[in-house]
C-alpha cells in the first residue's frame, strides 16, 4: 500500500515537473490550469499523508516557507565576473580588435544575446538536484537565496537529460512589465511604496526573508552561462546554451551566432528600438566569443572576461511640452503634482503624463507650464521629466506653486517635517473618502461588486455616504435615485453590500485602509488576534513582537485604533453585524493561537523547519519573549531569551518536549 503511494508520489512529481517545463519554459502547455491544479492537489494529499517523503525538490515546495532570519553567505567556486561596457559601435569595435589581436586570427565567431536587466544569480545542482541558489554579491561571495529561488517556476528543481554530476548555472532573474505593473498597482492600494522599475522589483523580491511572499511575485529567469561544473565540457557557448535547454533551463531565444563584426552591427541595428516590443527590460546586448577554447585563451582580468563585452543602448528620451501641472489627492491625502504633456511616443507607448513626485522635485527641475522638456522612459514604467530645454526663453510662466489648500476640499494641507509629501489634513476630504471607499469595496478587501467610481462619486457628492458604515445604511431608494442607475442594478448593489458583511476579519482589516497594513499584514493580524475587539486593544509592544510587523506598522495600527472617528466607525460596523471574528484561528491546528519563541540551536531540525511546523499546527513564532509568549523552545546554547522567559515564568520546552508537542 505504502509502496504504491510512494510510486504515485514519484509519478505525480514527474508529471508536474514536465508540465511546469512545458508551461513556464517552453510556453507550450498541454493541459489546462484546472487539470494541473488537480495533479498538484493529488500530490499534496499524498504528501500530507506521508510528510516524511517530502523533499525540497518536490513541486509542492515552491510555495515558500516560513521567514528566515537572514541570509547565509555563499562563496562562489568560480567568481561571477561582470561585463565591460561599451556605449557605441566604435568602442565595441575596439573590443573586437583586441580579441583579433590576442587570438591571432580574423575569423572569430561570436554569439550575441540580449542583456537582460534583472539580477544575476547562480544556481547549483548536485546529481541533478537544485541544492543552492545565490546572488552575485560582489562576485566573490553572494547571499544564499535558495528558498526564494525555489519559488520561481521556470527554475527546474531536478534536471533532465545527461546533466553533469555537479553544475552551477548563471542567469538573470527578472520581472516582466505586466507583472511589475500589476504588483505596483497592488502595492499602491496597500499603501506600500511602489517599486521604481522591474529590476528593483525583482531584486526586492529576491531579498525577502519570507519566501512565501517571493512565491507570489511574478519572477522569471533567463539562463545564459555555466560557472563551476564537473562533467564533460562544452565546445562552444552556443552549444552550452543548447545543453542548458536540454537540462530544462529557460534560455533566451534571441541569441544568434555572428560570423563577422558586420553581423554584430546588424544585430545592434535590429534591436535598436525593438526592445520595447519585448515584455521585459533589456539594457543592451552581450557579445561573446563563441569557442570555449578561444575564451580560455583570452582569459579574464580580475573584473571582466576578455572574451565578452556588453553593448549598452542609451535610454530612450523624447521631447514634449508641459501643458499643465495638476495635483492629485490620494487615499491617504498625499498630494502629488503631475505634468500633463503633449502626447509623445517613447519606448513603445504614447506618454501624456509624467509624475513630478513632489514639491522638491519641481523646484530642482524648475519646470513650468509651457516648458519644452525631455522625458525619459528607461525601464521605468512611469515616465520622468529629466530636464527643461527652453528655460531661458522670454515670457516664461511663473514658478509652479503647490496649492495652499487641498484642491478637492479646500482644507489645510501639511508637510510633516522630514517628509517630501504634502498631505490634506481633512480625514473627510471627499477625494480621500472616494479613494478609501473604492479601496474598502475592492476585490481583495470587502469585494463589493458594482460599487465602482461612478457610483462612489455620486454617493459622496450627494452626501449620502461619509464613512464606511453609511454604505450599510443605504436603502434601495437611496441608490435607485442615483444617475444612470436601473432598478436591477440598484438591487444588485444593495445585495452586494449586504453580502460583504460576511467578508471576514482579514478582509475587513485590510479594507479599513490602515496605513502600511496591506493584505498580508491584515491576514497576520486577523490570525493572531482572532477578533476586531482583541486587535483594537493590542498594545504596541505586542504588535511589534509579531514577526512580520515592525515599529512603523505597529505605530500606525495603534494610531488608527486610538482615533475617535475610527472607534465610532468600528462600533457602527459592529452594529451592522459585519463579521469581525476570524472563522478559524491560525489554521486551527493543535497549537492554534499559541505563541512561540525559539532560542539556541536545535539538533533534529533547522529553525526554519521548526517555525514551519509551528505555523502548520496553527501557532505563531515571534522574535522576542513577552508575557504573551506561551512557550520558549530552548536548544543548545540558548541566549538571553531563556533568561527572560524564566523571569516571566513562560513555559520552557526542551527540543524533545517540543517534538512531542508538534
Ligand atoms: S554573461 C562573465 N550574459 O550583466 C560573463 N550576463 O555586467 C558575465 N547579464 O552580472 C555574464 N544578461 O547579471 C551575461 N546575456 C547575458 C546577460 C548578462 C544580463 C548581466 C549579468 C552580469 C551583468 C554584467
Amino acid at each position: 500500500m505504502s509502496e504504491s503511494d510512494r510510486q504515485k508520489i514519484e509519478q505525480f512529481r514527474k508529471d508536474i515537473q514536465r508540465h511546469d517545463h512545458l508551461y513556464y519554459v517552453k510556453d507550450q502547455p498541454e493541459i489546462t490550469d484546472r487539470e494541473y491544479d488537480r495533479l498538484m492537489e493529488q500530490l499534496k494529499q499524498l504528501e500530507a499523508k506521508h510528510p516524511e517523503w517530502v523533499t525540497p525538490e518536490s513541486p509542492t515546495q515552491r510555495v515558500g516557507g516560513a521567514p528566515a532570519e537572514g541570509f547565509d553567505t555563499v562563496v562562489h567556486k568560480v567568481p561571477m565576473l561582470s561585463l565591460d561596457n561599451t556605449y557605441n559601435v566604435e568602442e565595441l569595435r575596439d573590443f573586437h580588435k583586441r580579441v583579433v589581436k590576442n587570438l591571432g586570427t580574423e575569423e572569430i565567431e561570436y554569439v550575441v544575446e540580449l542583456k537582460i536587466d534583472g539580477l544575476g544569480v547562480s544556481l547549483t545542482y548536485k546529481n541533478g538536484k537544485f541544492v543552492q541558489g545565490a546572488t552575485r554579491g560582489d562576485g566573490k561571495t553572494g547571499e544564499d537565496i535558495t528558498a526564494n529561488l525555489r519559488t520561481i517556476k521556470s527554475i527546474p528543481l531536478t534536471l533532465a537529460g545527461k546533466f553533469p554530476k555537479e553544475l552551477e548555472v548563471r542567469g538573470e532573474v527578472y520581472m516582466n512589465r505586466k507583472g511589475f505593473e500589476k504588483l505596483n498597482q497592488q502595492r499602491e492600494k496597500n499603501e506600500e511604496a511602489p517599486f521604481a522599475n522591474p529590476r528593483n522589483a525583482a531584486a526586492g523580491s529576491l531579498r525577502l526573508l519570507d519566501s512565501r511572499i517571493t512565491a507570489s511575485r511574478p519572477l522569471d529567469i533567463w539562463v545564459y552561462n555555466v560557472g563551476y561544473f564537473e562533467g564533460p565540457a562544452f565546445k562552444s557557448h552556443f552549444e552550452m546554451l543548447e545543453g542548458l535547454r536540454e537540462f530544462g533551463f529557460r534560455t533566451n531565444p534571441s541569441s544568434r551566432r555572428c560570423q563577422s563584426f558586420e553581423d554584430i552591427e546588424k544585430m545592434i541595428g535590429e534591436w535598436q528600438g525593438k526592445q520595447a516590443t519585448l515584455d521585459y527590460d533589456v539594457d543592451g546586448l552581450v557579445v561573446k566569443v563563441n569557442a570555449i577554447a578561444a575564451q580560455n585563451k583570452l582569459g579574464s582580468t580580475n573584473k571582466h572576461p576578455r572574451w565578452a563585452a556588453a553593448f549598452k543602448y542609451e535610454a530612450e528620451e523624447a521631447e514634449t511640452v508641459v501643458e499643465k501641472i495638476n495635483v492629485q489627492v490620494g487615499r491617504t491625502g498625499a498630494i502629488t503634482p503631475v505634468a500633463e504633456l503633449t502626447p509623445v511616443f517613447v519606448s513603445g507607448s504614447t506618454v501624456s503624463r509624467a509624475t513630478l513626485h513632489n514639491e522638491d522635485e519641481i523646484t530642482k527641475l524648475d519646470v513650468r507650464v509651457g516648458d519644452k522638456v525631455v522625458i525619459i522612459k528607461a525601464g521605468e514604467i512611469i515616465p520622468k521629466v529629466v530636464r527643461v530645454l527652453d528655460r531661458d526663453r522670454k515670457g516664461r510662466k511663473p514658478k509652479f506653486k503647490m496649492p495652499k489648500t487641498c484642491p478637492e476640499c479646500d482644507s489645510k494641507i501639511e508637510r510633516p517635517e522630514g517628509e517630501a509629501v504634502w498631505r490634506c489634513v481633512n480625514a473627510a476630504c471627499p477625494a480621500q473618502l472616494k479613494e478609501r471607499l473604492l479601496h474598502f469595496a475592492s476585490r481583495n478587501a470587502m469585494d463589493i461588486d458594482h460599487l465602482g467610481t461612478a457610483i462612489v462619486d455620486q454617493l459622496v457628492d450627494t452626501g449620502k455616504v461619509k464613512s464606511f458604515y453609511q454604505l450599510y445604511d443605504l436603502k434601495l431608494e437611496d441608490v435607485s435615485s442615483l444617475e444612470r442607475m436601473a432598478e436591477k442594478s440598484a438591487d444588485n448593489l444593495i445585495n452586494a453590500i449586504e453580502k460583504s458583511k460576511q467578508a471576514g476579519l482579514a478582509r475587513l482589516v485590510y479594507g479599513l485602509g490602515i496605513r502600511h497594513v496591506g493584505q498580508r499584514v491584515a491576514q497576520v493580524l486577523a490570525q493572531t488576534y482572532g477578533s476586531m475587539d482583541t486587535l483594537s486593544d493590542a498594545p504596541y509592544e505586542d504588535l511589534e513582537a509579531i514577526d512580520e510587523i515592525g515599529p512603523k506598522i505597529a505605530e500606525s495600527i495603534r494610531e488608527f485604533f486610538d482615533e475617535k472617528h475610527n472607534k465610532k466607525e468600528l462600533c457602527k460596523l459592529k452594529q451592522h453585524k459585519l463579521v469581525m471574528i476570524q472563522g478559524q484561528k491560525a489554521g486551527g491546528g493543535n497549537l492554534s493561537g499559541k505563541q512561540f519563541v525559539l532560542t539556541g540551536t536545535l539538533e533534529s531540525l533547522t529553525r526554519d523547519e521548526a517555525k514551519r511546523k509551528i505555523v502548520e499546527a496553527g501557532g505563531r513564532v515571534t522574535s522576542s519573549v513577552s508575557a504573551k509568549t506561551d512557550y520558549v523552545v530552548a536548544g543548545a546554547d540558548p541566549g538571553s531569551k531563556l533568561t527572560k522567559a524564566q523571569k516571566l515564568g513562560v513555559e520552557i520546552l526542551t527540543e524533545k518536549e517540543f517534538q512531542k508537542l508538534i
Side-chain angles (χ1 to χ4, degrees), residues 81-83 113-116 120 136 172 224 286 288 305:
L81 301 180
S82 63
L83 293 165
E113 45 194 51
L114 298 179
K115 187 166 189 302
I116 316 298
R136 187 179 101 88
E172 202 83 355
Y224 47 66
V286 186
K288 299 173 177 175

Side-chain angles (χ1 to χ4, degrees), residues 76 179 193 306 342 400 607 645:
H76 300 301
R306 289 197 195 88
T342 308
F400 170 81
R607 230 172 225 225

Side-chain angles (χ1 to χ4, degrees), residues 10-26:
E10 286 310 321
Q11 194 55 48
F12 278 130
R13 285 182 187 165
K14 261 207 195 113
D15 289 351
I16 292 171
Q17 191 186 322
R18 187 169 154 267
H19 292 301
D20 274 346
H21 184 254
L22 284 167
Y23 186 94
Y24 292 104
V25 179
K26 300 188 83 172

Side-chain angles (χ1 to χ4, degrees), residues 471-539:
L471 286 172
Y472 298 96
D473 286 330
L474 290 172
K475 303 270 172 312
L476 194 62
E477 52 273 25
D478 294 320
V479 176
S480 54
S481 64
L482 298 178
E483 255 172 63
R484 285 192 296 273
M485 177 66 93
E487 184 94 17
K488 181 93 186 82
S489 335
D491 209 37
N492 285 341
L493 177 59
I494 293 291
N495 286 336
I497 293 176
E498 184 61 28
K499 195 177 123 209
S500 75
K501 290 180 178 175
Q502 309 299 323
L505 184 61
R507 282 170 173 272
L508 178 57
V509 171
Y510 171 61
L512 290 174
I514 306 169
R515 267 185 99 185
H516 309 302
V517 175
Q519 248 175 294
R520 163 114 194 104
V521 171
Q523 255 161 21
V524 171
L525 291 171
Q527 277 185 356
T528 308
Y529 292 101
S531 77
M532 190 67 87
D533 285 340
T534 331
L535 169 61
S536 60
D537 285 341

